[in-house]
Amino acid sequence: MDLTSPQDGFQQKLYRNRTLIYFLFAIVAWIFLMGYGHQVLADDPGITKVRLIQQTDTSYLLEADVPQVLLNSIKRPVLPDRFEMTDFDFTNQSGWITLKMTLSTSGSSLSPEDEILLPWLRNGIDFTAQWLDGSTFKGLFNRSLNGILIPLGEVMPTSKTTREVFEEGFSMGGNHISFHYIHLLLILMLVLSRKDFSVFRLILWFSFGQATALIAAELGWTGIDLLFSDLLILIIAVIYSYTLAYNRSFKYEGITLFIGGLFHGISFVHEIADLSLESIQRLQALFAFNLAIDLVHFTLALLLLMIMKVVRKALPDGRKTGIVTG
């Protein structure tokens, strides 16, 4: 027997119809956003494609693809003093304008020290440079207050000596070691977990992982962002702090440190992937980077052990327990 009153049935039917209307409205709105609305937004992402093509030793072709409605946002490029724009042309294809500007000089050709400023009202440019030797470089440059600056040293072949590559890699390692003090925290946790010179065996596991990254880089491993590898090191340090706080053992700590060092090394290769370095130079930079990291690790561990030894001698016997012995 159905005990539902006519009024209740009417309300339920009204609720179902209202739900159906809302559902249909949501589908229509979704179709609009994914269809027409997406196409409208996709017409201009604010990024202009720009190409610099070297034609001779002293002449270059600068091209830019711009929607016709945004043509007024493109101004004359600011070139190095010895250059001038000698020709200007454009083609129109379905509302898109391809600007073609010839840049020439009676002096020296473009060098890595030169810059080109595009005073354009655009969010950025997708830049491609093609040089006489056939090499091609790409880069994404964002807009600043003055316009879009293109440092040519980032998009043209450059040659560095082994010493320069080694010094830059070593400097990057020295500067990186203080990043949020993550490496310092790791060494502190390792020293507190051992309290003697056996801590160097643990640090060697990390060093061995970084050294293995040289082989991984040679095999073409791209790695991950350096930030994420540092987060992995932070997680390892937190695990050590947990084992110290609760007097637990850390199983497979050697393998864990090895993995941390491996990812840290190949992440550095990922970090310098956009630099104009030859394959052998990337390995040289990685070796110097690893060397700087390892030197700081071992030096810091030695200093902490010496400080703990001094503190152990200075404190009364009754206060040593739990601080420097375990």
Side-chain angles (χ1 to χ4, degrees):
M1 180 177 180
D2 187 5
L3 300 180
T4 304
S5 64
Q7 185 176 1
D8 293 339
F10 174 77
Q11 290 179 348
Q12 292 177 1
K13 185 176 181 180
L14 179 62
Y15 175 78
R16 287 196 298 268
N17 292 339
R18 185 182 302 170
T19 303
L20 180 61
I21 292 173
Y22 289 159
F23 180 71
L24 292 175
F25 176 78
I27 291 179
V28 172
W30 182 80
I31 293 175
F32 174 80
L33 292 175
M34 297 300 294
Y36 174 77
H38 182 267
Q39 292 176 359
V40 171
L41 294 175
D43 283 343
D44 179 36
I47 303 296
T48 298
K49 288 188 176 181
V50 179
R51 296 172 294 277
L52 179 66
I53 304 171
Q54 186 178 13
Q55 297 179 313
T56 67
D57 289 338
T58 57
S59 65
Y60 304 81
L61 179 63
L62 184 66
E63 296 182 342
D65 298 330
V66 187
Q68 186 172 4
V69 295
L70 298 173
L71 192 58
N72 292 333
S73 65
I74 305 301
K75 306 297 181 183
R76 185 185 183 95
V78 179
L79 307 171
D81 294 337
R82 62 187 183 280
F83 275 83
E84 60 179 351
M85 192 172 70
T86 57
D87 193 14
F88 177 81
D89 194 9
F90 69 91
T91 58
N92 189 342
Q93 185 176 3
S94 301
W96 279 85
I97 305 296
T98 299
L99 302 176
K100 298 182 179 181
M101 296 161 273
T102 301
L103 316 179
S104 61
T105 179
S106 57
S108 59
S109 59
L110 291 173
S111 68
E113 289 74 28
D114 288 326
E115 296 176 338
I116 296 178
L117 178 65
L118 304 179
W120 299 352
L121 298 178
R122 308 293 290 151
N123 294 334
I125 60 170
D126 182 5
F127 186 77
T128 302
Q130 181 177 335
W131 307 102
L132 276 180
D133 60 1
S135 60
T136 301
F137 294 82
K138 294 184 178 182
L140 181 64
F141 298 94
N142 297 320
R143 181 173 177 265
S144 61
L145 292 177
N146 297 326
I148 303 170
L149 184 66
I150 307 173
L152 293 178
E154 298 184 12
V155 292
M156 67 188 311
T158 58
S159 58
K160 294 183 178 180
T161 64
T162 301
R163 179 177 178 178
E164 290 175 337
V165 173
F166 190 89
E167 289 177 349
E168 290 180 4
F170 192 86
S171 176
M172 293 177 71
N175 294 331
H176 173 74
I177 200 72
S178 61
F179 178 72
H180 292 292
Y181 305 104
I182 292 176
H183 287 263
L184 308 182
L185 177 62
L186 174 66
I187 299 303
L188 176 61
M189 292 298 102
L190 292 178
V191 171
L192 291 177
S193 68
R194 282 293 186 269
K195 307 182 184 68
D196 56 34
F197 288 100
S198 63
V199 68
F200 293 122
R201 288 201 297 268
L202 293 178
I203 301 177
L204 277 174
W205 276 103
F206 188 91
S207 302
F208 183 49
Q210 288 198 130
T212 307
L214 291 167
I215 302 175
E218 180 66 21
L219 295 176
W221 288 23
T222 57
I224 58 177
D225 192 276
L226 194 58
L227 173 63
F228 294 108
S229 65
D230 280 326
L231 289 177
L232 175 60
I233 295 174
L234 179 60
I235 292 174
I236 297 174
V238 171
I239 294 175
Y240 268 105
S241 66
Y242 172 81
T243 59
L244 287 171
Y246 294 94
N247 197 23
R248 302 289 182 85
S249 60
F250 188 177
K251 295 182 178 180
Y252 311 112
E253 53 185 336
I255 298 299
T256 303
L257 289 168
F258 171 82
I259 294 175
L262 174 62
F263 277 99
H264 192 261
I266 60 177
S267 295
F268 176 73
V269 178
H270 174 78
E271 196 77 8
I272 62 174
D274 295 332
L275 299 181
S276 302
L277 295 176
E278 299 177 0
S279 178
I280 186 63
Q281 289 180 326
R282 289 193 178 94
L283 295 180
Q284 292 170 350
L286 175 59
F287 175 80
F289 177 83
N290 292 344
L291 180 61
I293 297 293
D294 291 337
L295 284 177
V296 175
H297 281 180
F298 283 99
T299 302
L300 180 61
L302 180 61
L303 289 176
L304 289 175
L305 286 174
M306 293 175 62
I307 292 173
M308 291 176 63
K309 184 177 181 180
V310 172
V311 172
R312 182 170 55 225
K313 291 182 177 180
L315 290 177
D317 293 339
R319 298 179 57 187
K320 293 180 182 179
T321 305
I323 298 179
V324 292
T325 62

